[in-house]
Amino acid sequence: MKILVINCGSSSLKYQLFDMDNEEVMAKGLVERIGIEGSRLEQEVGDAEWAQETAIPDHNKAVQLVFAALTDAEHGVISDMNEIDAVGHRVVHGGEKFTDSILIDDAVIAAIEQYIPFSPLHNPANLQGIKAAQEALPGKPNVAVFDTSFHQSMPAENYMYALPYELYKEHGIRRYGFHGTSHHFVTLRAAELMDIPVDQLNIISCHLGNGSSVTAVKNGKSYITSMGQTPLAGVPMGTRCGDIDPAIVTFLQNQLGKSAKEVDTIMNKESGVAGISGVSSDFRDLENASKDGNERAQLALDMFHARVRETVAGYAADLGHVDAITFTGGIGENGAGDRSAICKGLEIMGVKLDESINGQRKPKEKKISAEDSAIQVWVIPTNEELMIARDTMRLAK
Ligand code: ADP
């Protein structure tokens, strides 16, 4: 079975074609700058890379180009689009309706539309990808895999905000959580690696990348997570502020005369470690700047580590028993210094890293805790695309 996984952002589209007989990636690629000047498609097949610059006005054209690239006589990997058996789509917000991935029909599309106000940048792009795939491959199953669905197992005390109850009942205002596909993948992999049945596994999963979230997983299910109604909440991120005193929002509007849109831009695009450091949203740049004596870069790193650490410690108390703390995402997988800084202070819970293993670049997937650590600590590279492909195969069959 061949499955195409599509992840549409507002101006980009990432894709991977899987041969699910052996879960092998046949081709993967990226369409960038959709609707803006300089749009291009890049495709990788094994070590071979191929790039094409051409006008790509919208997601429809982007999807057509992906199919053309996959079937290209010279650079492609299949001879006909119909070799693709199903398409899996990453969808950011599935609200309370979707506790699992689902085969897409008109009702599913309507529900994804309904949640646009909660995810105004992502859900419309995800829908465009779905519609383009339906048009390009009529009759083939399309599956939606939601960032939110893994977190639908959270109990009410963990997803409710202490706002008037009617706001939840009438408008669905609550914590939803994101990165669910990644936290779920890591949970399943941790169960395998630690040889614990997944329904008995308790972990604290730290997905740390451009966007970061921490999830407490109880008996294999999401119990609480740091992101909220939107992916702006929780720990500070590359350019997102994470949790702040909510009164700051009205202060910016009433005292500084900012519009709602300006406040939104400040909190989503101008904050986080980039806003604090004034250097970059990239943790490698921050580390370099800090080594050169940039105090604001070091402050940004310290703030990030402290907020992740306190989230992990708080979630440990919520779980009672913790089998492992896991790290994934660009920072979680590569930032040995970040892992070390986060775990410093968690000695109070008996956490102890083996720094010689933590510092090794390879293998990426590894246990980094010391043998006498009370809680195991693992680095588990995430694979959201494979998770989407697996769900798509399960539902399309
Ligand atoms: P996204 O959330 O967009 O999927 P990633 O998970 O790819 O992002 O994470 C990207 C981030 O990972 C980069 O911004 C960078 O800060 C961080 N990163 C990558 N390599 C390293 C490294 N060696 N050390 C620390 N951070 C790293």
Side-chain angles (χ1 to χ4, degrees):
M1 200 172 196
K2 293 192 180 68
I3 290 186
L4 178 65
V5 172
I6 290 182
N7 179 355
C8 273
S10 49
S11 68
S12 70
L13 184 163
K14 291 187 207 153
Y15 63 97
Q16 290 195 15
L17 181 66
F18 284 90
D19 181 347
M20 292 308 282
D21 293 344
N22 49 13
E23 295 193 334
E24 177 205 342
V25 178
M26 300 174 71
K28 65 176 172 182
L30 167 68
V31 185
E32 277 181 305
R33 304 180 63 85
I34 298 171
I36 37 183
E37 199 155 324
S39 43
R40 55 187 270 135
L41 178 145
E42 274 172 30
Q43 179 164 281
E44 276 176 51
V45 176
D47 292 333
E49 284 175 29
W50 174 51
Q52 224 187 342
E53 263 182 49
T54 174
I56 310 175
D58 52 33
H59 287 75
N60 223 2
K61 179 73 184 172
V63 169
Q64 285 170 17
L65 268 185
V66 169
F67 285 120
L70 291 170
T71 53
D72 186 84
E74 198 182 333
H75 304 283
V77 288
I78 50 175
S79 50
D80 189 294
M81 275 163 36
N82 280 306
E83 286 180 42
I84 299 171
D85 297 291
V87 185
H89 299 264
R90 175 195 183 203
V91 180
V92 167
H93 218 301
E96 284 190 321
K97 235 188 198 102
F98 301 107
T99 55
D100 191 3
S101 306
I102 191 161
L103 213 50
I104 296 172
D105 59 14
D106 291 346
V108 172
I109 289 181
I112 298 171
E113 273 166 2
Q114 180 198 331
Y115 292 120
I116 286 176
F118 286 167
S119 183
L121 293 181
H122 290 102
N123 274 28
N126 303 153
L127 278 168
Q128 284 176 324
I130 291 169
K131 288 178 182 164
Q134 285 178 327
E135 272 173 38
L137 273 181
K140 295 285 171 115
N142 283 269
V143 169
V145 179
F146 302 93
D147 280 21
T148 48
S149 62
F150 180 60
H151 299 298
Q152 279 297 307
S153 50
M154 286 189 288
E157 70 264 30
N158 290 346
Y159 70 68
M160 288 298 292
Y161 291 126
L163 288 165
Y165 196 77
E166 295 71 33
L167 288 176
Y168 164 63
K169 272 319 234 192
E170 286 163 29
H171 303 284
I173 293 176
R174 50 161 281 180
R175 185 194 302 264
Y176 290 95
F178 299 86
H179 288 143
T181 310
S182 173
H183 290 298
H184 194 189
F185 178 89
V186 168
T187 300
L188 296 175
R189 187 67 189 135
E192 262 171 25
L193 289 165
M194 298 173 70
D195 200 18
I196 297 176
V198 70
D199 59 1
Q200 292 169 29
L201 181 76
N202 284 9
I203 64 168
I204 299 171
S205 166
C206 305
H207 177 115
L208 312 178
N210 266 322
S212 295
S213 70
V214 181
T215 296
V217 173
K218 190 173 193 174
N219 298 325
K221 295 188 172 139
S222 174
Y223 184 70
I224 181 159
T225 189
S226 60
M227 281 180 171
Q229 164 152 307
T230 74
L232 182 57
V235 300
M237 307 178 211
T239 62
R240 285 175 247 168
C241 60
D243 290 345
I244 57 170
D245 180 341
I248 294 167
V249 174
T250 45
F251 181 90
L252 290 173
Q253 291 178 313
N254 298 335
Q255 306 300 320
L256 303 187
K258 305 277 183 203
S259 68
K261 195 159 177 258
E262 285 169 327
V263 175
D264 193 69
T265 302
I266 292 172
M267 295 190 303
N268 272 292
K269 305 233 162 89
E270 297 169 2
S271 298
V273 294
I276 288 292
S277 67
V279 172
S280 168
S281 63
D282 191 301
F283 276 59
R284 288 162 291 194
D285 298 338
L286 296 176
E287 268 163 44
N288 290 333
S290 158
K291 276 188 199 131
D292 292 342
N294 186 315
E295 288 178 10
R296 274 169 58 186
Q298 187 57 48
L299 172 63
L301 289 169
D302 291 344
M303 287 170 66
F304 176 78
H305 299 145
R307 297 291 82 77
V308 175
R309 182 190 311 119
E310 78 185 9
T311 308
V312 170
Y315 287 179
D318 280 342
L319 288 177
H321 167 79
V322 183
D323 294 302
I325 297 166
T326 58
F327 288 99
T328 198
I331 301 160
E333 292 170 29
N334 302 300
D338 298 295
R339 294 191 297 255
S340 179
I342 290 164
C343 290
K344 261 200 192 92
L346 296 179
E347 291 96 349
I348 195 167
M349 290 158 37
V351 171
K352 212 162 147 192
L353 289 193
D354 183 328
E355 285 296 350
S356 67
I357 302 177
N358 182 41
Q360 285 164 10
R361 282 180 165 258
K362 297 220 160 137
K364 268 201 167 180
E365 187 177 78
K366 56 185 176 265
K367 185 167 93 173
I368 57 171
S369 48
E371 281 311 315
D372 59 345
S373 179
I375 297 172
Q376 294 187 25
V377 185
W378 284 81
V379 179
I380 301 181
T382 194
N383 195 338
E384 289 161 288
E385 292 77 15
L386 177 58
M387 194 75 198
I388 294 173
R390 285 176 181 165
D391 271 13
T392 302
M393 182 166 83
R394 166 169 64 87
L395 290 160
K397 256 184 176 167

